[in-house]
Amino acid sequence: MRVTQSMLSNNMLLNLNNSYGKMSKLQDQITSGSKITRPSDDPVVAVKGMGYRRDLGQVEQYTRNMNEVNNWLDTSDESLNQVGEQMKRVRELVIQAANDTNTPDERAKAKAEIDQIRKQIQDVANTKVGDRYIFSGTKTGQPLFINGTLNNANVNSEDVKIEVYDGIQMTVNTAGMDLFKSVDDMMGKISDVLDPNRIPLATSDEISSTLGGVTSTSTDDDITTMHNKILETQADVGARQNRVELMENRLSIREISVTKQLSNNEDVDYSKAITEMVTSESIHQAALSVGAKIIQQSLVDFIR
């Protein structure tokens, strides 16, 4: 095959264009910090990158879900703590009222304060996170109490769950219908016992029976029993808070792991890319020099 001058020129231009293309790709990698600028550069890297980004997106969503879980649990814990503190005050009032030296007026004052505490506990039972009631089961749009009456027709004791990891859901609410109903019934019972208009007036033993504990006449709806139920519910909330902390650590570890995998998959090795860039520039300059020598002079150059 006869090699002509035009063939040499065309081959030289083709090789120079390939050299420019390689240097352009290396320059893009150094500038962007990524091995690829478009999926066609390396489909395998691109597909893996999509998977890693999907995983990171899930971690971000689970982290947002975890914040919502913390909001529910923290609010529930604080609300139950308020109820527990009110139980202590009710106990103090009952102990004072159980003294036979108290007059009906003094018991009436204790009853009035207990009635206000009862309303306060009902307000706590209607605690909301955002626009959702946290003690109404899955009926989060309905308050637990309406005008001092349990809204048992429109609330339930079902669990509200939020996904916090792949296939893992956590119960974020505390089903308060039974608990707050028991507390409210107990408060109503105490209020009736302390009623100064009651005939006959309650004896000190009757009043003391509402305390529970070591009293021989204690019942299942006394103050001690109710307070213990509240503490048990708080303990359950605390256990879930501890688990949330463990899940947050797990999410953090997963985020670090996936980010590292994404970096290893896509991030350019600067030292390697810069070395290749310098090498390509040297080869390109050499190609230009050799090409200039290969191209022969034209007939016009000889005529001159």
Side-chain angles (χ1 to χ4, degrees), residues 203-269:
T203 65
S204 59
D205 287 340
E206 287 180 288
I207 298 174
S208 296
S209 69
T210 63
L211 291 172
V214 296
T215 59
S216 59
T217 56
S218 62
T219 61
D220 290 337
D221 59 350
D222 55 66
I223 296 174
T224 299
T225 301
M226 288 298 102
H227 198 185
N228 288 338
K229 287 182 179 180
I230 293 168
L231 292 176
E232 290 172 2
T233 306
Q234 276 189 282
D236 175 68
V237 172
R240 281 181 282 159
Q241 287 176 314
N242 291 336
R243 188 184 178 193
V244 167
E245 185 176 348
L246 295 175
M247 293 302 301
E248 286 177 333
N249 292 336
R250 186 177 178 184
L251 279 175
S252 178
I253 293 172
R254 181 177 179 182
E255 182 179 13
I256 293 173
S257 175
V258 175
T259 301
K260 182 178 179 180
Q261 291 173 334
L262 179 62
S263 175
N264 291 337
N265 181 64
E266 292 185 2
D267 288 356
V268 68
D269 184 344

Side-chain angles (χ1 to χ4, degrees), residues 20-87:
Y20 273 125
K22 184 176 181 180
M23 287 192 295
S24 176
K25 183 177 179 180
L26 289 170
Q27 188 177 36
D28 288 341
Q29 289 180 354
I30 295 172
T31 302
S32 65
S34 176
K35 294 178 183 177
I36 61 174
T37 56
R38 58 183 67 86
S40 59
D41 291 341
D42 193 328
V44 175
V45 171
V47 171
K48 286 184 176 180
M50 291 172 61
Y52 294 141
R53 286 183 173 82
R54 182 182 62 251
D55 290 344
L56 285 176
Q58 289 179 338
V59 170
E60 291 177 1
Q61 181 60 56
Y62 291 145
T63 301
R64 289 192 291 270
N65 291 354
M66 204 71 74
N67 292 335
E68 184 72 6
V69 172
N70 276 322
N71 197 9
W72 276 70
L73 293 179
D74 291 346
T75 305
S76 298
D77 184 54
E78 177 59 30
S79 299
L80 292 171
N81 186 61
Q82 291 180 35
V83 177
E85 292 300 316
Q86 295 301 325
M87 287 293 99

Side-chain angles (χ1 to χ4, degrees), residues 84-244:
E85 292 300 316
Q86 295 301 325
M87 287 293 99
K88 294 178 183 178
R89 178 55 182 165
V90 171
R91 179 185 294 275
E92 294 174 359
L93 292 170
V94 170
I95 291 174
Q96 293 174 8
N99 193 325
D100 284 332
T101 61
N102 285 306
T103 64
D105 287 342
E106 290 173 329
R107 288 184 176 178
K109 293 178 182 178
K111 176 185 183 311
E113 184 172 349
I114 286 175
D115 287 341
Q116 291 302 313
I117 292 175
R118 183 183 184 184
K119 291 179 180 179
Q120 174 63 23
I121 292 176
Q122 291 175 355
D123 290 339
V124 173
N126 289 339
T127 299
K128 299 170 70 176
V129 170
D131 59 349
R132 291 173 291 180
Y133 294 94
I134 64 175
F135 293 116
S136 299
T138 55
K139 303 293 185 178
T140 56
Q142 295 290 332
L144 197 58
F145 286 89
I146 298 178
N147 297 325
T149 303
L150 183 69
N151 185 21
N152 55 5
N154 296 311
V155 298
N156 57 43
S157 297
E158 297 179 11
D159 294 336
V160 176
K161 296 183 178 182
I162 295 179
E163 188 173 9
V164 295
Y165 206 78
D166 295 339
I168 299 177
Q169 294 183 330
M170 285 196 64
T171 300
V172 299
N173 71 319
T174 298
M177 184 172 70
D178 293 337
L179 176 64
F180 281 100
K181 180 181 184 302
S182 298
V183 173
D184 190 66
D185 289 345
M186 181 203 69
M187 296 292 291
K189 174 184 175 182
I190 295 174
S191 180
D192 291 340
V193 170
L194 295 179
D195 190 348
N197 297 319
R198 174 181 170 178
I199 300 176
L201 290 175
T203 65
S204 59
D205 287 340
E206 287 180 288
I207 298 174
S208 296
S209 69
T210 63
L211 291 172
V214 296
T215 59
S216 59
T217 56
S218 62
T219 61
D220 290 337
D221 59 350
D222 55 66
I223 296 174
T224 299
T225 301
M226 288 298 102
H227 198 185
N228 288 338
K229 287 182 179 180
I230 293 168
L231 292 176
E232 290 172 2
T233 306
Q234 276 189 282
D236 175 68
V237 172
R240 281 181 282 159
Q241 287 176 314
N242 291 336
R243 188 184 178 193
V244 167

Side-chain angles (χ1 to χ4, degrees), residues 262-280:
L262 179 62
S263 175
N264 291 337
N265 181 64
E266 292 185 2
D267 288 356
V268 68
D269 184 344
Y270 278 100
S271 59
K272 180 180 179 181
I274 292 173
T275 300
E276 291 182 357
M277 183 68 177
V278 173
T279 302
S280 297

